[in-house]
Amino acid sequence: MIFRSPYPDVAISDLALTPLVLQHAEERAAKPALIDASSDRVLTYGELAREVKSVASGLFSRGMRKGDVFGIYSPNSIEYAITLLAIASFGGIATTVNPLATAEELSSQLIDAGATRLLTTPELLSAALPAAAASRVQEVFVTGEADGATSFTALRNSGGTVLAPADCRPDDVVLLPYSSGTTGTPKGVMITQGSWVANLCQIEMLHAVAPDDVIFCLPPFFHMYGAIVLTHLLRGGGTVVFAPRFELERFLASIERYRITRAYLVPPVIIALVHSPIVDAYDLSTLSNIFSGAAPLGEDLRRRCQERLGCTVNQGYGLTEASPVTHSVPFNIATTKPGSVGPCLPNTECKVMDVDFGTELGPAERGELWIRGPQVMKGYLNRPEATASMITSDGWLRTGDIGYADADGDFYIVDRLKELIKYKAYQVAPAELEALLMSHPAVADAAVTPYQDETCGEIPKAWIVLKGEASADELMAFVAARVAPYKKIRRLEFIDQIPKSASGKILRRLLVDRDRAALAVQA
């Protein structure tokens, strides 16, 4: 059964990415477009449009052409946003790198992507310079000033009146973020001008930006979630507030100082907003909506955050390979179905496939979610076999996520296919147990991973961060009373912190590796 959006299809703009995002910049010339909450630095829409042209001209004058790849290895910054739009404006390709990446990880991505230039910060130069030297990178640019790199100011001023020609077509690759997909090592995801523009047009219906909106964008710009939020908000004419790194008090102070109306966050921040006592010290009355993405948000957390802050809290679903949004609850809906990520976006089709037999499933039946729509990636860079295993010949993207749809076409994500725990013949979803554990008053954070067992194959093991008093037996009994017997937590370990990615996803692999190392020592 194919599930379709309850919303009518939207017209996909024929503009390229940068012209679309900055289409009304001159009309809003005096309005703040970007605010760096760490420094209170403001860039207006008029300044943004001029800076994008200047940087594009500077890159063109230094030999960068359509199809050339430019690496960005930096926390969120005004220069990051300018560079991303400048590169896209003349058909260049940005490959965005997690600023937490090591020199080895950075060089590996630069080499694989074929990057010839790199933007970084003075703090990251110690990793950026050796990585650049090991790759095809010809010039390293740096925000501010630092030895061994060209300043961003010099880049911006080097183009003069030379304008980089714009010859951008929908099928042209514009972004190369890296994702592991459903299997294997990180691969370059070929996001095209057309797929990015399509996703902007799709989400506009559900996340319209009002002229007076001041919106906090927490997700890192290197992540597709951050990139789509940044460009969506700028296209809509909102004022985008961000910070290079997340600090709870700075975030709360920003809401109060800038009168933030909406915020795009990740589940770990929702957890902090629910539990931290310092939340009550700030005036958050202007905040009307929080949107959570990048990882599943448990219904208990969503409800508690909504009640504490007095604003709506919604979530959606997507993946890098879909540019990234495929499902969403409208941002201003106060009452949603518990745990739902909403229906398909306009112009999007979905189906749920039986993992074992490859057959299409109907409502309330769990399987792998497949997506088809104009936002789907072109494929993986130089990985035809990986692309073929991810996208079917008739255009369906295999997400690797387990979920189901109800009778109304609203979707629920249960877990990652590759992270399902196989207890005897049963499949156990870690995210379901994590959400349940998080509803216990003594639990601050939780992760569930498979633990090898001779009899059962794998058993669910919980990793718990406490904020109150509770024993392992008490927590295991709490879960056992609420789930089928095969889903019970059978091992539990207390831990100081759950490892997570910059986007908030639990890094279960690190916990599994920790168990394996401990077992190896015992052996």
Side-chain angles (χ1 to χ4, degrees):
M1 176 178 181
I2 294 178
F3 298 87
R4 293 181 172 85
S5 177
Y7 305 103
D9 283 355
V10 298
I12 306 301
S13 175
D14 56 3
L15 290 174
L17 177 66
T18 301
L20 179 70
V21 172
L22 299 179
Q23 187 175 13
H24 302 291
E26 291 307 321
E27 299 169 23
R28 307 162 177 150
K31 181 180 180 179
L34 296 163
I35 300 177
D36 185 339
S38 68
S39 63
D40 293 325
R41 182 182 167 199
V42 178
L43 195 75
T44 66
Y45 273 93
E47 291 168 336
L48 175 62
R50 290 191 292 274
E51 292 277 297
V52 167
K53 288 180 181 178
S54 295
V55 171
S57 296
L59 290 171
F60 187 77
S61 70
R62 289 169 177 269
M64 191 170 178
R65 296 293 184 268
K66 178 180 178 179
D68 288 347
V69 180
F70 189 108
I72 307 179
Y73 176 56
S74 167
N76 290 358
S77 68
I78 286 176
E79 288 81 7
Y80 201 129
I82 292 168
T83 303
L84 204 59
L85 293 172
I87 294 165
S89 70
F90 63 88
I93 302 169
T95 187
T96 51
V97 189
N98 188 335
L100 298 178
T102 64
E104 291 76 18
E105 290 168 331
L106 173 60
S107 67
S108 176
Q109 182 169 329
L110 294 175
I111 291 168
D112 190 74
T116 58
R117 289 151 184 93
L118 177 67
L119 173 68
T120 190
T121 66
E123 296 78 12
L124 294 175
L125 267 183
S126 60
L129 290 177
S135 70
R136 292 174 51 200
V137 169
Q138 302 165 13
E139 189 169 13
V140 176
F141 302 98
V142 64
T143 57
E145 301 283 344
D147 292 337
T150 304
S151 74
F152 189 82
T153 301
L155 168 63
R156 183 183 56 207
N157 295 336
S158 62
T161 58
V162 178
L163 289 179
D167 179 25
C168 304
R169 300 174 184 177
D171 198 45
D172 290 341
V173 177
V174 67
L175 191 69
L176 273 176
Y178 272 63
S179 167
S180 296
T182 56
T183 59
T185 56
K187 299 171 283 291
V189 178
M190 293 190 288
I191 303 297
T192 64
Q193 293 267 355
S195 60
W196 195 336
V197 165
N199 208 222
L200 289 174
C201 295
Q202 290 170 306
I203 63 179
E204 184 179 25
M205 179 179 289
L206 282 71
H207 290 256
V209 180
D212 57 350
D213 268 332
V214 182
I215 307 175
F216 197 97
C217 176
L218 172 82
F221 298 160
F222 79 82
H223 193 278
M224 197 63 225
Y225 178 23
I228 200 73
V229 169
L230 171 69
T231 49
H232 166 63
L233 300 181
L234 291 175
R235 181 196 178 198
T239 295
V240 184
V241 182
F242 66 89
R245 56 191 59 81
F246 179 76
E247 297 171 4
L248 181 59
E249 286 201 66
R250 175 174 288 163
F251 168 61
L252 296 171
S254 296
I255 297 176
E256 184 175 278
R257 175 177 174 79
Y258 300 113
R259 314 303 289 165
I260 300 290
T261 57
R262 290 160 57 185
Y264 285 82
L265 307 177
V266 293
V269 176
I270 307 293
I271 293 172
L273 292 173
V274 168
H275 296 303
S276 176
I278 68 171
V279 171
D280 297 326
Y282 293 88
D283 177 7
L284 311 181
S285 60
T286 58
L287 187 64
S288 63
N289 173 259
I290 290 173
F291 185 84
S292 178
L297 176 68
E299 174 58 21
D300 181 66
L301 276 173
R302 189 195 73 82
R303 177 184 53 78
R304 289 162 68 187
C305 184
Q306 190 163 269
E307 290 173 353
R308 185 176 191 189
L309 272 61
C311 66
T312 60
V313 179
N314 308 118
Q315 65 175 323
Y317 167 79
L319 64 164
T320 300
E321 288 84 351
S323 305
V325 189
T326 62
H327 297 70
S328 181
V329 175
F331 79 87
N332 58 351
I333 301 297
T335 303
T336 64
K337 295 179 181 178
S340 174
V341 296
C344 306
L345 291 187
N347 310 64
T348 303
E349 298 175 303
C350 306
K351 57 184 178 180
V352 181
M353 302 296 291
D354 186 281
V355 174
D356 297 315
F357 301 104
T359 53
E360 293 183 13
L361 301 175
E365 296 181 304
R366 297 187 178 194
E368 183 184 11
L369 183 63
W370 288 18
I371 308 290
R372 186 164 65 183
Q375 71 269 50
V376 170
M377 68 171 180
K378 188 174 185 176
Y380 291 120
L381 178 69
N382 300 325
R383 304 287 202 285
E385 292 183 3
T387 299
S389 69
M390 191 73 173
I391 304 176
T392 68
S393 58
D394 53 349
W396 288 99
L397 174 69
R398 300 180 172 100
T399 69
D401 287 315
I402 301 297
Y404 65 94
D406 63 20
D408 298 323
D410 288 311
F411 279 76
Y412 303 78
I413 306 302
V414 178
D415 218 317
R416 293 287 290 164
L417 176 60
K418 65 182 179 180
E419 292 178 340
L420 287 176
I421 299 168
K422 294 294 184 70
Y423 175 82
K424 296 184 177 179
Y426 297 100
Q427 295 179 341
V428 181
E432 179 183 357
L433 298 178
E434 289 160 359
L436 182 55
L437 284 162
M438 288 295 298
S439 69
H440 191 284
V443 175
D445 207 354
V448 174
T449 58
Y451 188 90
Q452 295 301 311
D453 182 88
E454 289 185 4
T455 303
C456 305
E458 295 176 340
I459 59 173
K461 175 180 176 178
W463 305 77
I464 300 295
V465 178
L466 286 176
K467 65 184 177 77
E469 293 186 5
S471 67
D473 288 342
E474 177 186 344
L475 294 175
M476 287 192 287
F478 175 81
V479 173
R482 292 163 173 80
V483 299
Y486 70 90
K487 295 182 181 179
K488 292 193 300 185
I489 299 293
R490 297 171 189 272
R491 291 182 71 93
L492 189 146
E493 183 173 333
F494 295 109
I495 191 171
D496 292 332
Q497 185 177 16
I498 302 297
K500 295 180 181 179
S501 70
S503 63
K505 290 183 180 179
I506 296 172
L507 299 177
R508 296 190 181 97
R509 175 181 54 80
L510 298 182
L511 296 171
V512 171
D513 289 347
R514 177 169 164 168
D515 269 338
R516 288 174 179 168
L519 290 172
V521 170
Q522 294 173 12

